[in-house]
Short mmCIF file of all heavy atoms in Angstrom, two decimals:
data_model
loop_
_atom_site.label_atom_id
_atom_site.label_comp_id
_atom_site.label_asym_id
_atom_site.label_seq_id
_atom_site.Cartn_x
_atom_site.Cartn_y
_atom_site.Cartn_z
N LYS A 39 -0.75 5.32 14.28
CA LYS A 39 -0.12 4.04 13.95
C LYS A 39 0.30 4.12 12.46
O LYS A 39 -0.35 4.75 11.68
CB LYS A 39 -1.10 2.92 14.11
CG LYS A 39 -1.56 2.69 15.51
CD LYS A 39 -2.55 1.52 15.57
CE LYS A 39 -3.12 1.39 16.93
NZ LYS A 39 -4.08 0.33 16.98
N TRP A 44 -3.96 1.77 0.77
CA TRP A 44 -3.90 1.14 -0.56
C TRP A 44 -4.74 1.91 -1.57
O TRP A 44 -5.82 2.44 -1.25
CB TRP A 44 -4.41 -0.29 -0.50
CG TRP A 44 -3.46 -1.19 0.23
CD1 TRP A 44 -3.54 -1.52 1.55
CD2 TRP A 44 -2.35 -1.87 -0.30
NE1 TRP A 44 -2.50 -2.33 1.89
CE2 TRP A 44 -1.76 -2.61 0.75
CE3 TRP A 44 -1.76 -1.96 -1.54
CZ2 TRP A 44 -0.64 -3.37 0.62
CZ3 TRP A 44 -0.63 -2.72 -1.70
CH2 TRP A 44 -0.07 -3.44 -0.63
N GLN A 50 -9.31 -3.80 -4.39
CA GLN A 50 -10.51 -4.40 -5.03
C GLN A 50 -10.11 -5.49 -6.02
O GLN A 50 -10.96 -6.29 -6.40
CB GLN A 50 -11.32 -3.31 -5.76
CG GLN A 50 -12.10 -2.46 -4.84
CD GLN A 50 -13.00 -1.48 -5.57
OE1 GLN A 50 -12.76 -1.05 -6.70
NE2 GLN A 50 -14.04 -1.02 -4.89
N CYS A 55 -1.56 -5.27 -8.76
CA CYS A 55 -1.39 -3.99 -9.42
C CYS A 55 -2.19 -4.01 -10.75
O CYS A 55 -2.55 -5.08 -11.24
CB CYS A 55 0.10 -3.77 -9.74
SG CYS A 55 0.48 -2.17 -10.54
N ARG A 59 0.68 -7.70 -11.43
CA ARG A 59 1.61 -8.19 -10.44
C ARG A 59 0.95 -8.27 -9.09
O ARG A 59 0.30 -7.36 -8.65
CB ARG A 59 2.82 -7.26 -10.38
CG ARG A 59 3.91 -7.59 -9.44
CD ARG A 59 4.74 -8.80 -9.78
NE ARG A 59 5.38 -8.72 -11.07
CZ ARG A 59 6.70 -8.63 -11.26
NH1 ARG A 59 7.52 -8.60 -10.25
NH2 ARG A 59 7.18 -8.62 -12.44
N LEU A 61 0.86 -8.00 -5.21
CA LEU A 61 1.65 -7.16 -4.28
C LEU A 61 1.63 -7.65 -2.86
O LEU A 61 2.49 -7.30 -2.05
CB LEU A 61 1.14 -5.73 -4.35
CG LEU A 61 1.09 -5.11 -5.79
CD1 LEU A 61 0.43 -3.75 -5.70
CD2 LEU A 61 2.45 -5.04 -6.34
N THR A 66 -1.39 -14.36 4.50
CA THR A 66 -0.51 -13.98 5.59
C THR A 66 -0.50 -12.52 5.88
O THR A 66 -0.07 -12.09 6.93
CB THR A 66 0.92 -14.41 5.30
OG1 THR A 66 1.41 -13.69 4.12
CG2 THR A 66 1.07 -15.91 5.03
N GLU A 68 1.35 -10.42 4.32
CA GLU A 68 2.75 -10.00 4.09
C GLU A 68 2.88 -9.37 2.72
O GLU A 68 2.30 -9.85 1.75
CB GLU A 68 3.70 -11.20 4.22
CG GLU A 68 3.65 -11.90 5.54
CD GLU A 68 4.52 -11.22 6.56
OE1 GLU A 68 5.51 -10.60 6.18
OE2 GLU A 68 4.11 -11.29 7.76
N ASN A 70 4.71 -8.81 -0.73
CA ASN A 70 5.53 -9.66 -1.56
C ASN A 70 6.81 -8.88 -1.83
O ASN A 70 6.80 -8.02 -2.74
CB ASN A 70 4.81 -10.06 -2.84
CG ASN A 70 5.60 -11.05 -3.62
OD1 ASN A 70 6.79 -11.19 -3.52
ND2 ASN A 70 4.85 -11.77 -4.50
N LYS A 72 9.39 -9.47 -3.42
CA LYS A 72 9.96 -9.63 -4.76
C LYS A 72 9.24 -8.76 -5.78
O LYS A 72 9.72 -8.58 -6.89
CB LYS A 72 9.86 -11.11 -5.20
CG LYS A 72 10.67 -12.05 -4.35
CD LYS A 72 10.50 -13.45 -4.79
CE LYS A 72 11.27 -14.38 -3.91
NZ LYS A 72 11.09 -15.78 -4.22
N GLU A 80 9.39 12.80 2.11
CA GLU A 80 9.53 13.67 3.27
C GLU A 80 8.49 13.39 4.38
O GLU A 80 8.86 13.38 5.55
CB GLU A 80 9.40 15.13 2.86
CG GLU A 80 10.59 15.63 2.11
CD GLU A 80 10.43 17.11 1.73
OE1 GLU A 80 9.70 17.83 2.45
OE2 GLU A 80 11.08 17.49 0.74
N ARG A 92 4.15 1.79 -10.71
CA ARG A 92 2.97 2.51 -10.23
C ARG A 92 2.91 2.51 -8.72
O ARG A 92 3.26 1.54 -8.08
CB ARG A 92 1.73 1.80 -10.80
CG ARG A 92 0.43 2.44 -10.48
CD ARG A 92 -0.73 1.74 -11.21
NE ARG A 92 -2.01 2.11 -10.78
CZ ARG A 92 -2.69 3.20 -11.23
NH1 ARG A 92 -2.09 3.98 -12.10
NH2 ARG A 92 -3.88 3.46 -10.76
N GLU A 99 1.72 7.51 9.11
CA GLU A 99 1.13 7.42 10.42
C GLU A 99 -0.16 8.25 10.43
O GLU A 99 -0.13 9.39 10.06
CB GLU A 99 2.09 7.92 11.51
CG GLU A 99 3.19 6.97 11.80
CD GLU A 99 3.95 7.29 13.08
OE1 GLU A 99 3.50 8.20 13.83
OE2 GLU A 99 4.98 6.67 13.28
N GLU A 103 -8.04 3.32 14.83
CA GLU A 103 -8.25 2.25 15.79
C GLU A 103 -7.93 0.88 15.15
O GLU A 103 -7.96 -0.14 15.81
CB GLU A 103 -9.72 2.21 16.28
CG GLU A 103 -10.11 3.48 17.02
CD GLU A 103 -9.29 3.70 18.31
OE1 GLU A 103 -9.03 2.71 19.04
OE2 GLU A 103 -8.87 4.87 18.52
N SER A 106 -2.00 -1.79 13.09
CA SER A 106 -0.94 -1.23 12.28
C SER A 106 -0.85 -2.05 10.99
O SER A 106 -0.99 -3.28 11.01
CB SER A 106 0.41 -1.29 12.99
OG SER A 106 0.42 -0.39 14.07
N PHE A 108 -2.84 -1.67 8.02
CA PHE A 108 -3.92 -1.42 7.06
C PHE A 108 -4.84 -0.34 7.55
O PHE A 108 -5.08 -0.21 8.75
CB PHE A 108 -4.75 -2.67 6.86
CG PHE A 108 -3.95 -3.81 6.30
CD1 PHE A 108 -3.35 -4.74 7.15
CD2 PHE A 108 -3.72 -3.93 4.97
CE1 PHE A 108 -2.58 -5.79 6.64
CE2 PHE A 108 -2.96 -4.96 4.43
CZ PHE A 108 -2.39 -5.88 5.29
N GLY A 109 -5.36 0.46 6.62
CA GLY A 109 -6.35 1.47 7.02
C GLY A 109 -6.18 2.75 6.24
O GLY A 109 -5.29 2.88 5.41
N GLU A 111 -7.71 6.24 4.04
CA GLU A 111 -8.46 6.54 2.79
C GLU A 111 -7.48 7.15 1.78
O GLU A 111 -6.77 8.10 2.10
CB GLU A 111 -9.60 7.48 3.09
CG GLU A 111 -10.40 7.81 1.87
CD GLU A 111 -11.51 8.81 2.18
OE1 GLU A 111 -11.78 9.05 3.37
OE2 GLU A 111 -12.10 9.33 1.27
N LYS A 113 -6.26 9.50 -0.91
CA LYS A 113 -6.63 10.89 -1.22
C LYS A 113 -6.02 11.32 -2.53
O LYS A 113 -5.01 12.01 -2.54
CB LYS A 113 -6.17 11.82 -0.09
CG LYS A 113 -6.72 11.53 1.26
CD LYS A 113 -8.11 12.08 1.39
CE LYS A 113 -8.52 11.97 2.87
NZ LYS A 113 -9.86 12.25 3.12
N LEU A 116 -0.80 10.62 -6.52
CA LEU A 116 0.48 11.14 -5.94
C LEU A 116 1.43 11.47 -7.07
O LEU A 116 1.49 10.89 -8.06
CB LEU A 116 1.12 10.11 -5.03
CG LEU A 116 0.35 9.81 -3.80
CD1 LEU A 116 0.99 8.70 -3.00
CD2 LEU A 116 0.25 11.02 -2.95
#
Side-chain angles (χ1 to χ4, degrees):
K39 296 179 186 177
W44 291 93
Q50 285 184 334
C55 183
R59 180 71 58 112
L61 306 174
T66 64
E68 300 278 329
N70 186 338
K72 295 178 182 175
E80 287 183 27
R92 182 174 170 85
E99 285 194 10
E103 297 299 317
S106 290
F108 298 94
E111 180 182 349
K113 300 279 189 189
L116 293 176

